Amino acid sequence: MNRRFLFAFFLLVSRTLFAAEDTQTGFRVVQERSADGVTLIMKSDYCVEFTVTLEATLTNMTSSRPVPFTVDAAGRSSFVLARFKQADKSRSWRYNYYFRWEYGGRRNSTENDADYAMPFGPGRYVVMQGPRGTFSHFAGSGSENAVDWDVPEGTIICAAREGRVVGVRDDSTVSGTDPKFKPLGNYIIIKHADGTFADYHHLQTDGAMVKIGDAVKVGQPIGLSGQTGFASKPHLHFMVFQAIDGKKVLSLPFRLKTDHGTFTEFIRGQAY
Ligand SMILES: [Zn+2]
């Protein structure tokens, strides 16, 4: 009997485009192949709070769980995503799969009842794009409630809320308004005690002042602002979010508390 085994797979991760970056984020799927199938194991080196969505196309194979599906890592750094097994032993089999991940487990609520400090040193800062802005904070998008602060390149970014650093990227050197730059921004991701996360985005190249695993206090300098990724000029994109699934996040409204007032609405061109 001429039995052919075909392996085919494609990887897609939502925050990265290139294989080399997998080592940086630490998120990857390892395949353990056997004569009649494969086991897909999700691995994460640095962050154990994340959500994965797996999609797959199977030919003459069954899956240990129906695809597509979404699963929370829930504190695990390594776990089996699925096992694909040959169905009819006399026929060849093949599979394609796509996995995508987002920081954070899925929460039961969308509450964000916390105070956030201005993510810079003392002073007033102008909003370049507020929630539901029409450049990139569209209603219904994952950045719906993000705020872009108009700050020059190299401005010291401070933690707006205490937490733990779970994601850092600062090796990107490019920016522009072409959508191809969307996954190429430098960032720091901080996990808060309530399971929400903050994204400090578009940092300068080599602009991170913290590393994964660091505990940070409110007001602590964490990095330098810049213009990397999808950006037309230097600014800090700040947002609080939680995962919806491995492909999408929900950005949450947040309450900014400063020494000159408390704000929950952010209007373009105004200083806070
Ligand atoms: Zn933005």
Side-chain angles (χ1 to χ4, degrees):
M1 190 189 310
N2 180 17
R3 194 175 293 181
R4 289 186 306 134
F5 301 100
L6 300 173
F7 300 98
F9 63 97
F10 302 96
L11 306 183
L12 260 183
V13 295
S14 56
R15 286 180 188 276
T16 62
L17 279 186
F18 307 112
E21 291 171 356
D22 269 356
T23 27
Q24 186 175 39
T25 65
F27 292 101
R28 63 200 185 279
V29 168
V30 174
Q31 303 180 73
E32 285 185 0
R33 297 189 186 115
S34 63
D36 64 348
V38 64
T39 300
L40 302 182
I41 302 164
M42 185 74 213
K43 301 259 189 192
S44 170
D45 293 335
Y46 310 119
C47 177
V48 294
E49 299 297 337
F50 61 100
T51 302
V52 190
T53 297
L54 185 81
E55 298 171 8
T57 308
L58 305 177
T59 305
N60 189 34
M61 298 189 92
T62 57
S63 175
S64 58
R65 57 201 307 180
V67 285
F69 65 83
T70 294
V71 62
D72 287 18
R76 297 171 294 172
S77 59
S78 176
F79 57 94
V80 171
L81 274 178
R83 291 189 175 85
F84 302 153
K85 210 161 186 280
Q86 182 180 24
D88 178 346
K89 299 288 179 202
S90 66
R91 289 167 48 223
S92 66
W93 48 274
R94 60 175 292 165
Y95 60 94
N96 296 288
Y97 71 85
Y98 311 82
F99 83 97
R100 298 184 62 167
W101 57 269
E102 278 295 351
Y103 287 105
R106 287 169 292 174
R107 300 169 74 219
N108 293 326
S109 84
T110 55
E111 203 161 288
N112 184 24
D113 187 22
D115 291 330
Y116 290 79
M118 184 64 82
F120 309 106
R124 293 184 188 235
Y125 296 86
V126 174
V127 169
M128 196 170 101
Q129 183 184 196
R132 292 167 295 287
T134 53
F135 178 70
S136 58
H137 298 170
F138 305 106
S141 76
S143 292
E144 176 169 352
N145 285 298
V147 172
D148 288 344
W149 296 101
D150 192 350
V151 286
E153 180 109 19
T155 301
I156 293 175
I157 302 164
C158 302
R161 185 178 171 188
E162 73 169 18
R164 191 165 293 276
V165 178
V166 295
V168 173
R169 177 183 185 178
D170 72 351
D171 68 341
S172 177
T173 58
V174 295
S175 72
T177 52
D178 187 297
K180 73 177 181 187
F181 292 111
K182 283 185 180 174
L184 297 175
N186 292 325
Y187 58 79
I188 290 169
I189 308 285
I190 294 179
K191 185 193 174 199
H192 308 135
D194 61 0
T196 63
F197 289 68
D199 183 2
Y200 303 77
H201 216 92
H202 306 302
L203 271 61
Q204 229 178 39
T205 308
D206 298 324
M209 296 162 67
V210 290
K211 58 185 191 312
I212 288 171
D214 286 356
V216 295
K217 297 278 178 218
V218 179
Q220 179 180 332
I222 56 171
L224 298 169
S225 71
Q227 190 188 332
T228 52
F230 188 62
S232 59
K233 57 178 285 198
H235 70 280
L236 175 74
H237 170 100
F238 173 79
M239 72 175 198
V240 182
F241 70 94
Q242 64 189 70
I244 295 173
D245 56 29
K247 301 196 287 189
K248 200 157 187 270
V249 299
L250 178 71
S251 60
L252 303 171
F254 62 92
R255 184 169 68 233
L256 178 72
K257 199 167 181 184
T258 72
D259 56 8
H260 51 274
T262 299
F263 308 97
T264 54
E265 289 186 22
F266 303 95
I267 295 161
R268 184 162 68 102
Q270 290 200 7
Y272 293 86

